[in-house]
Amino acid sequence: MKTVHARTLGLRIAALAAAGLVLTACNDDEAATGATGQSAPSSPTASASAATSAKPSGKASGKPSSSAVTGGDAAARARTDKLALTPADWGAGYETRIDDDTSLAKFTMDKSCLYKEDGPDKTLLAYTNRFVRVQRPDGSQLWGTSGASQATTADAAHQEMAKWAADIRRCPDYKDDSGTQTTSAHDIESPKVPGADEVFSEEGLAVYHDDDGTTTPPRPYSSITARKGALTVWVFVDLAPDQQVFEGRAQARALLQKITAKW
């Protein structure tokens, strides 16, 4: 998933356990921490995160892909556009932050733990990552993303999730090419998601380049990616430094339910 985390509010979500990683499609809905669950199957029967092929969910740094990689399938694109949440879906005070990221670029985590664009993704038919923001009473902004991706096959979507999970295990501290720095990234036990073949939940801390050019203090985030066949959907929630991680976890789950109710 170009993700999420997306890793920047503009990167894509990717995710789920590969060899040795943990896949949690049917865990207790109230599970809080601890990456427990079933081992990832060698091939999926349905699909996963951000309907993408391994791109983060869109972390809050917030720049969409600069790639000119476009195209894809019109019907699939209409579907991913419909699944991505609107500001109204997020709640009072939320507004559009920047235009949707619909690039079909591929993202990879290199040996130095830099998450970067790496040419076209030939397994993607469509990708939509939508960015929102909300003003806090102190004048600061919080960001969020949601979206979906449609892969060519369920296995391709599964492999992307597995790759992201493996990357997070290898690089809990990483940077992306938009300048976002993530630390302590880790998977946690996932909620039950009706109809999903795989679910991957992630939390950590991130430092972003703000819209005014300044750098934010480390902020917690929570993201969830779910796959159903070749379709992957996700949400990424940015939190203020004084907020508790359970707040983001609850918000992410509620938002994901709005997406999966439409898939």
Side-chain angles (χ1 to χ4, degrees):
M1 301 176 306
K2 192 167 69 169
T3 113
V4 111
H5 180 92
R7 279 34 321 297
T8 74
L9 208 55
L11 294 181
R12 300 184 173 173
I13 278 188
L16 271 169
L21 297 187
V22 177
L23 184 63
T24 54
C26 299
N27 291 322
D28 186 84
D29 208 3
E30 298 303 317
T33 59
T36 61
Q38 301 173 330
S39 297
S42 58
S43 64
T45 56
S47 47
S49 137
T52 88
S53 53
K55 293 168 182 149
S57 63
K59 187 155 282 183
S61 83
K63 294 182 180 179
S65 169
S66 59
S67 172
V69 180
T70 58
D73 180 90
R77 170 65 187 283
R79 186 181 189 187
T80 59
D81 284 352
K82 181 179 179 180
L83 288 168
L85 298 174
T86 66
D89 292 326
W90 283 76
Y94 279 92
E95 61 182 10
T96 298
R97 183 174 179 230
I98 51 179
D99 291 341
D100 293 353
D101 179 7
T102 58
S103 166
L104 301 183
K106 184 177 183 64
F107 281 72
T108 58
M109 187 84 78
D110 69 14
K111 293 181 179 179
S112 66
C113 294
L114 174 65
Y115 189 73
K116 61 183 182 180
E117 190 172 329
D118 188 23
D121 190 335
K122 296 181 180 179
T123 70
L124 267 184
L125 295 176
Y127 172 87
T128 302
N129 197 32
R130 186 164 293 154
F131 307 86
V132 298
R133 64 183 176 186
V134 65
Q135 291 285 140
R136 300 191 76 218
D138 63 3
S140 64
Q141 293 183 359
L142 293 180
W143 303 323
T145 63
S146 66
S149 65
Q150 181 76 47
T152 52
T153 66
D155 187 63
H158 166 71
Q159 292 301 326
E160 283 300 336
M161 290 189 74
K163 184 178 183 299
W164 179 252
D167 285 342
I168 286 297
R169 296 279 178 123
R170 177 173 63 88
C171 295
D173 301 334
Y174 67 91
K175 295 181 181 180
D176 65 44
D177 54 10
S178 73
T180 297
Q181 183 172 358
T182 301
T183 60
S184 304
H186 59 281
D187 55 311
I188 64 168
E189 193 167 0
S190 293
K192 294 178 181 178
V193 177
D197 299 309
E198 298 179 307
V199 183
F200 182 79
S201 297
E202 180 190 330
E203 292 174 352
L205 297 172
V207 173
Y208 311 108
H209 291 294
D210 211 337
D211 290 345
D212 62 4
T214 61
T215 300
T216 69
R219 303 200 302 220
Y221 69 84
S222 182
S223 71
I224 308 176
T225 296
R227 181 182 66 82
K228 181 180 181 181
L231 180 70
T232 303
V233 297
W234 64 89
V235 294
F236 171 88
V237 175
D238 174 34
L239 299 174
D242 60 348
Q243 289 183 285
Q244 300 298 312
V245 68
F246 70 84
E247 297 178 72
R249 192 176 300 155
Q251 184 182 13
R253 292 181 178 188
L255 291 168
L256 187 70
Q257 287 179 351
K258 293 185 178 183
I259 297 178
T260 58
K262 300 184 289 183
W263 74 1

